[in-house]
Amino acid sequence: MGNSVQGRGLLSSWRVYPKIAARLRARIASGEYAPGELLPAEGALCEEFGISRNTVRRALADVEAEGLVITIPSKGRMVRVPDQLTREPYLYMALAKALREEITTGVLAPGAAMPSEDALQRRFNVSRATTRSAVQLLQREGVVVIGHGKRRFVAERPDSRRDRLPREPRLYRAVASTLRQEIAAGVPAPGMAMPSNAAIQRRFGVSWTTARSALRTLQREDLITVGTGNRWFVRQPDVHS
């Protein structure tokens, strides 16, 4: 292999990896490596071009950064299938733009959990690094926040809550105020179960933490109590003989 390697002149400089990246790019453009097809393994590329594994990885990293291929865990690198992502200077910006539009149009509602990184990888055919960069960009913009269990949620917007809440210094107080009025009106009745944390999230378009804080506020006021199965119930009035 040594003679063929020197014949190619591929090991004469550390700059060889851009040449390999260019060949891979050309094969993808010509359709030799078709969309959805796995690229040859690193070892096969090392043998074909007579170069080190580190050089191959640098070349592959270049074409992946350009959005031409993605890494599939336990499988290798695959030519990216064209999808709905619009052209942006970097692929993660395109992904962030697509998610931002879904948030703006309400497809991803305020307070709703964001899709996981794995789900975004499968849907958009991008790498984990791309999905993470996109979500982190939305987080810096304040569009996405980190909530319970380190999960990411769509940030709440006062103008998009499904139930109009009175203005309060903190949102959980507004939720508690609405629930307090309903308890006073007998809905739900004493002894009956309160809506679950998840139900309150969906109804008001708030986060898990906001819903939980509202329920704890009512508990401190002795309006509700924790019962069987850690569920919340409306406290029954004391009966005096």
Side-chain angles (χ1 to χ4, degrees), residues 20-202:
I20 306 304
R23 291 196 186 185
L24 295 175
R25 199 179 295 116
R27 291 177 182 181
I28 292 171
S30 68
E32 182 177 346
Y33 297 152
E37 180 182 337
L38 289 173
L39 266 60
E42 291 180 359
L45 292 173
C46 289
E47 185 175 352
E48 176 184 355
F49 294 112
I51 55 177
S52 68
R53 188 173 293 269
N54 186 56
T55 301
V56 166
R57 287 176 177 170
R58 294 186 70 177
L60 290 169
D62 262 19
V63 294
E64 183 168 0
E66 295 167 4
L68 297 177
V69 303
I70 61 172
T71 298
I72 306 296
S74 303
K75 290 188 178 181
R77 293 172 178 84
M78 183 184 77
V79 179
R80 189 169 70 85
V81 178
D83 49 42
Q84 65 267 49
L85 296 185
T86 56
R87 290 193 173 276
E88 295 281 345
Y90 296 98
L91 188 57
Y92 79 90
M93 291 183 178
L95 176 54
K97 180 179 180 179
L99 294 174
R100 194 183 297 111
E101 288 176 352
E102 293 188 357
I103 292 171
T104 301
T105 58
V107 175
L108 291 171
M114 290 290 293
S116 66
E117 290 181 357
D118 287 341
L120 292 174
Q121 279 184 266
R122 292 191 297 269
R123 176 182 170 190
F124 292 99
N125 289 323
V126 294
S127 68
R128 181 175 294 274
T130 297
T131 60
R132 186 164 296 172
S133 295
V135 176
Q136 287 176 346
L137 174 59
L138 296 178
Q139 190 177 332
R140 289 195 297 271
E141 294 174 355
V143 177
V144 170
V145 296
I146 296 179
H148 179 69
K150 295 186 178 180
R151 290 200 62 184
R152 291 182 172 90
F153 295 82
V154 179
E156 298 162 5
R157 298 196 309 271
D159 61 344
S160 63
R161 294 176 205 140
R162 275 162 280 189
D163 272 21
R164 291 189 176 275
L165 300 177
R167 292 188 176 275
E168 294 277 349
R170 293 185 183 276
L171 185 56
Y172 78 87
R173 295 178 183 171
V175 177
S177 176
T178 300
L179 296 175
R180 190 184 300 114
Q181 292 172 17
E182 293 179 351
I183 292 173
V187 184
M192 298 299 293
M194 288 288 293
S196 67
N197 210 85
I200 293 173
Q201 283 183 261
R202 290 192 297 269

